[in-house]
Short mmCIF file of all heavy atoms in Angstrom, two decimals:
data_model
loop_
_atom_site.label_atom_id
_atom_site.label_comp_id
_atom_site.label_asym_id
_atom_site.label_seq_id
_atom_site.Cartn_x
_atom_site.Cartn_y
_atom_site.Cartn_z
N HIS A 147 18.16 -66.80 38.42
CA HIS A 147 19.31 -67.24 37.64
C HIS A 147 19.16 -66.72 36.21
O HIS A 147 18.18 -67.05 35.53
CB HIS A 147 19.38 -68.76 37.63
CG HIS A 147 20.48 -69.30 36.76
ND1 HIS A 147 21.82 -69.12 37.05
CD2 HIS A 147 20.44 -70.00 35.59
CE1 HIS A 147 22.54 -69.69 36.10
NE2 HIS A 147 21.74 -70.22 35.22
N PRO A 148 20.09 -65.87 35.74
CA PRO A 148 19.96 -65.35 34.38
C PRO A 148 20.29 -66.40 33.33
O PRO A 148 21.23 -67.19 33.50
CB PRO A 148 20.98 -64.19 34.34
CG PRO A 148 21.97 -64.50 35.41
CD PRO A 148 21.25 -65.32 36.45
N VAL A 149 19.49 -66.44 32.27
CA VAL A 149 19.70 -67.38 31.17
C VAL A 149 20.05 -66.55 29.94
O VAL A 149 19.18 -66.02 29.26
CB VAL A 149 18.45 -68.25 30.94
CG1 VAL A 149 18.70 -69.26 29.82
CG2 VAL A 149 18.04 -68.96 32.22
N ASP A 150 21.34 -66.44 29.67
CA ASP A 150 21.79 -65.52 28.62
C ASP A 150 21.33 -65.92 27.23
O ASP A 150 21.16 -65.07 26.36
CB ASP A 150 23.32 -65.39 28.66
CG ASP A 150 23.81 -64.58 29.85
OD1 ASP A 150 23.02 -63.78 30.38
OD2 ASP A 150 24.97 -64.75 30.25
N GLU A 151 21.13 -67.22 27.01
CA GLU A 151 20.70 -67.66 25.68
C GLU A 151 19.21 -67.43 25.44
O GLU A 151 18.73 -67.57 24.31
CB GLU A 151 21.04 -69.13 25.45
CG GLU A 151 20.40 -70.09 26.42
CD GLU A 151 21.27 -70.39 27.63
OE1 GLU A 151 22.12 -69.55 27.99
OE2 GLU A 151 21.09 -71.47 28.22
N ALA A 152 18.47 -67.06 26.49
CA ALA A 152 17.03 -66.80 26.33
C ALA A 152 16.80 -65.36 25.90
O ALA A 152 16.03 -64.62 26.51
CB ALA A 152 16.30 -67.10 27.63
N LEU A 153 17.45 -64.95 24.82
CA LEU A 153 17.37 -63.56 24.40
C LEU A 153 16.01 -63.17 23.87
O LEU A 153 15.68 -61.99 23.76
CB LEU A 153 18.46 -63.26 23.36
CG LEU A 153 18.44 -63.98 22.01
CD1 LEU A 153 19.33 -63.22 21.02
CD2 LEU A 153 18.98 -65.38 22.13
N THR A 154 15.15 -64.17 23.54
CA THR A 154 13.80 -63.87 23.07
C THR A 154 12.76 -64.27 24.11
O THR A 154 11.61 -64.55 23.76
CB THR A 154 13.53 -64.61 21.74
OG1 THR A 154 13.73 -66.02 21.94
CG2 THR A 154 14.45 -64.13 20.64
N LEU A 155 13.13 -64.26 25.38
CA LEU A 155 12.26 -64.77 26.44
C LEU A 155 10.86 -64.17 26.40
O LEU A 155 9.87 -64.87 26.60
CB LEU A 155 12.89 -64.49 27.81
CG LEU A 155 12.04 -64.90 29.03
CD1 LEU A 155 11.83 -66.40 29.06
CD2 LEU A 155 12.69 -64.42 30.32
N GLU A 156 10.75 -62.89 26.15
CA GLU A 156 9.45 -62.22 26.25
C GLU A 156 8.72 -62.12 24.91
O GLU A 156 7.66 -61.50 24.84
CB GLU A 156 9.64 -60.83 26.85
CG GLU A 156 10.22 -60.87 28.26
CD GLU A 156 10.51 -59.49 28.81
OE1 GLU A 156 9.59 -58.84 29.31
OE2 GLU A 156 11.69 -59.05 28.72
N GLU A 157 9.26 -62.75 23.88
CA GLU A 157 8.64 -62.66 22.56
C GLU A 157 7.80 -63.90 22.26
O GLU A 157 8.22 -65.03 22.51
CB GLU A 157 9.72 -62.49 21.49
CG GLU A 157 10.55 -61.23 21.69
CD GLU A 157 11.29 -60.82 20.44
OE1 GLU A 157 10.69 -60.90 19.35
OE2 GLU A 157 12.47 -60.45 20.56
N GLY A 158 6.62 -63.68 21.72
CA GLY A 158 5.77 -64.79 21.29
C GLY A 158 5.29 -65.68 22.40
O GLY A 158 5.05 -66.87 22.19
N LEU A 159 5.10 -65.14 23.60
CA LEU A 159 4.65 -65.96 24.73
C LEU A 159 3.25 -66.51 24.47
O LEU A 159 2.40 -65.85 23.87
CB LEU A 159 4.64 -65.12 26.01
CG LEU A 159 6.01 -64.70 26.55
CD1 LEU A 159 5.84 -63.68 27.66
CD2 LEU A 159 6.79 -65.91 27.06
N LEU A 160 3.02 -67.72 24.95
CA LEU A 160 1.73 -68.37 24.77
C LEU A 160 0.98 -68.40 26.10
O LEU A 160 1.41 -69.05 27.05
CB LEU A 160 1.93 -69.81 24.27
CG LEU A 160 0.66 -70.66 24.10
CD1 LEU A 160 -0.22 -70.09 23.00
CD2 LEU A 160 1.03 -72.11 23.80
N PRO A 161 -0.16 -67.70 26.20
CA PRO A 161 -0.96 -67.77 27.43
C PRO A 161 -1.72 -69.08 27.51
O PRO A 161 -2.30 -69.54 26.53
CB PRO A 161 -1.91 -66.57 27.30
CG PRO A 161 -2.04 -66.33 25.83
CD PRO A 161 -0.74 -66.77 25.21
N ILE A 162 -1.69 -69.69 28.68
CA ILE A 162 -2.37 -70.96 28.92
C ILE A 162 -3.22 -70.83 30.18
O ILE A 162 -2.73 -70.31 31.21
CB ILE A 162 -1.35 -72.11 29.13
CG1 ILE A 162 -0.54 -72.36 27.88
CG2 ILE A 162 -2.04 -73.38 29.59
CD1 ILE A 162 -1.21 -73.21 26.85
N LEU A 163 -4.46 -71.27 30.12
CA LEU A 163 -5.29 -71.33 31.32
C LEU A 163 -5.13 -72.72 31.92
O LEU A 163 -5.57 -73.72 31.34
CB LEU A 163 -6.75 -71.04 30.98
CG LEU A 163 -7.68 -70.87 32.20
CD1 LEU A 163 -7.25 -69.66 33.03
CD2 LEU A 163 -9.13 -70.74 31.75
N MET A 164 -4.44 -72.78 33.05
CA MET A 164 -4.17 -74.05 33.71
C MET A 164 -5.23 -74.31 34.77
O MET A 164 -5.59 -73.40 35.54
CB MET A 164 -2.78 -74.01 34.35
CG MET A 164 -2.27 -75.36 34.80
SD MET A 164 -0.62 -75.26 35.53
CE MET A 164 -0.99 -74.56 37.11
#
Side-chain angles (χ1 to χ4, degrees):
H147 176 67
V149 182
D150 287 338
E151 60 268 26
L153 63 163
T154 57
L155 177 64
E156 299 175 82
E157 300 198 42
L159 291 170
L160 177 65
I162 295 278
L163 189 63
M164 193 179 75

